[in-house]
Amino acid sequence: MTNIAVILSGCGHLDGAEIRESVLALTALDKAGAKVSIFAPDAEQHHVVNHLTGEETGESRNIIIEAARIARGKIAPLSELNVADFDALVMPGGFGAAKNFSDLAFKGGDCTINPAVKTIITGFFSAGKPIGAICIAPAIVVAALKGKATPTVTIGDDEDGLIKALGGTHQSCKTEQCVIDKEHKIVTTSAYMQDDARVYDVFLGIDRLVQAVMNLTK
Amino acid sequence: MTNIAVILSGCGHLDGAEIRESVLALTALDKAGAKVSIFAPDAEQHHVVNHLTGEETGESRNIIIEAARIARGKIAPLSELNVADFDALVMPGGFGAAKNFSDLAFKGGDCTINPAVKTIITGFFSAGKPIGAICIAPAIVVAALKGKATPTVTIGDDEDGLIKALGGTHQSCKTEQCVIDKEHKIVTTSAYMQDDARVYDVFLGIDRLVQAVMNLTK
């Protein structure tokens, strides 16, 4: 059985993991016959955003406690993720990746990646194990591998040159497709980088990403 | 185009809408070509549950603000749902249906349905428009129609006789299937009523439910 680690950055696209991408990744992984373990940092979110108004609420919420809503309680702290136990890593997107896994949302091309997240990404990469990254998560992967590799990824369109600034190569891609960098074993799909993407197209893109990740584990 | 109203009871299966069921219903509806509008009550949740520990937190959260996480902000108050604007209703499950749409979680067969939710369910039923209900939501539909109809629904297995106590007829059904009551135009699937259901089976059941609901609108 293929063991896949999924890491979540909260629960809600404006301050945590993009919920739909997370659920559709879990669905595609189950469809592909993978055994999935879910992890999240046991730490406070950067902030909490009211998803109806888009405004900060002033509350504080814990990343793993909120991500447990998506995981239905079956989730472990990121500190317990042992790369040796898994065949591949899958990272859904959402602003949580850019606010809780890094400061990308605030510093763009000059961002710093959370050390624990960076260690996990470089661990999978160095072990020759594939990484699937969705939405904005490809930018985190590129930034984490800066100086080690120049992967080719997609965040849909990259008009602002973010991926190049972070040290990668960008390839444009439609929502329902994915980009496969066989050399670096990195698979990416843009999902809700296009804010008005159709959810079934997002599923098709994630399903293709998961199939490619599974094939790269063989 | 077929217009479908989806009503959510929050964001998280222990105190709101079951997230996976909600996302997979939206995905199946998009796959089927439906135009979807999402609604939720603008009211406080019954309570907030830590989904890592299962314990109440003492916080208060608003149903529509939390449901907006699943809806990506595209959601309207339940009070704005006009039955005449839609061809069918789809209700995901989760304890939110049994705590925020009713007091079913506390009173079982003697439960009372939230008046606004009851008006919507009876409105679709009386107009001859189909209703798709997932997980525990079928129990809410049966309770809302008590005295008007005796629909046949599934909540998977009903060992405790809840559906009979509420005034309906229960039919056992596997997660990946759905039960179609053509006479009453009510379609149901058990989803996470089986706590350890596989998420892809949940999707298959919801996808079949959505196809049946779409067919019943014709």
Side-chain angles (χ1 to χ4, degrees), chain A residues 191-213:
Chain A
Y192 279 108
M193 283 303 291
Q194 189 186 320
D195 196 52
D196 62 349
R198 287 184 55 172
V199 61
Y200 188 58
D201 285 342
V202 171
F203 178 58
L204 292 176
I206 290 174
D207 193 45
R208 288 189 168 107
L209 171 142
V210 162
Q211 288 175 49
V213 165

Side-chain angles (χ1 to χ4, degrees), chain A residues 63-190:
Chain A
I63 303 168
I64 191 171
I65 291 174
E66 296 310 313
R69 293 177 175 271
I70 297 172
R72 294 177 52 85
K74 291 172 184 165
I75 188 164
L78 197 63
S79 56
E80 294 181 9
L81 196 170
N82 182 359
V83 173
D85 296 339
F86 295 97
D87 301 298
L89 173 70
V90 171
M91 297 176 64
F95 269 107
K99 292 176 177 176
N100 300 328
F101 283 172
S102 70
D103 54 12
L104 177 74
F106 315 106
K107 297 191 178 169
D110 297 321
C111 68
T112 304
I113 309 301
N114 169 296
V117 172
K118 187 171 179 175
T119 298
I120 288 165
I121 292 169
T122 56
F124 276 92
F125 178 77
S126 301
K129 295 177 177 181
I131 298 171
I134 299 162
C135 186
I136 192 63
I140 309 301
V141 173
V142 168
L145 298 178
K146 196 169 190 173
K148 289 180 186 286
T150 308
T152 297
V153 302
T154 190
I155 54 169
D157 294 309
D158 186 19
E159 291 171 1
D160 299 333
L162 174 66
I163 295 300
K164 192 177 176 187
L166 292 168
T169 302
H170 189 264
Q171 186 175 316
S172 293
C173 184
K174 289 185 177 172
T175 308
E176 67 272 25
Q177 300 292 340
C178 69
V179 167
I180 304 170
D181 179 339
K182 281 188 186 172
E183 181 193 346
H184 299 104
K185 294 191 182 177
I186 292 169
V187 188
T188 50
T189 188
S190 62

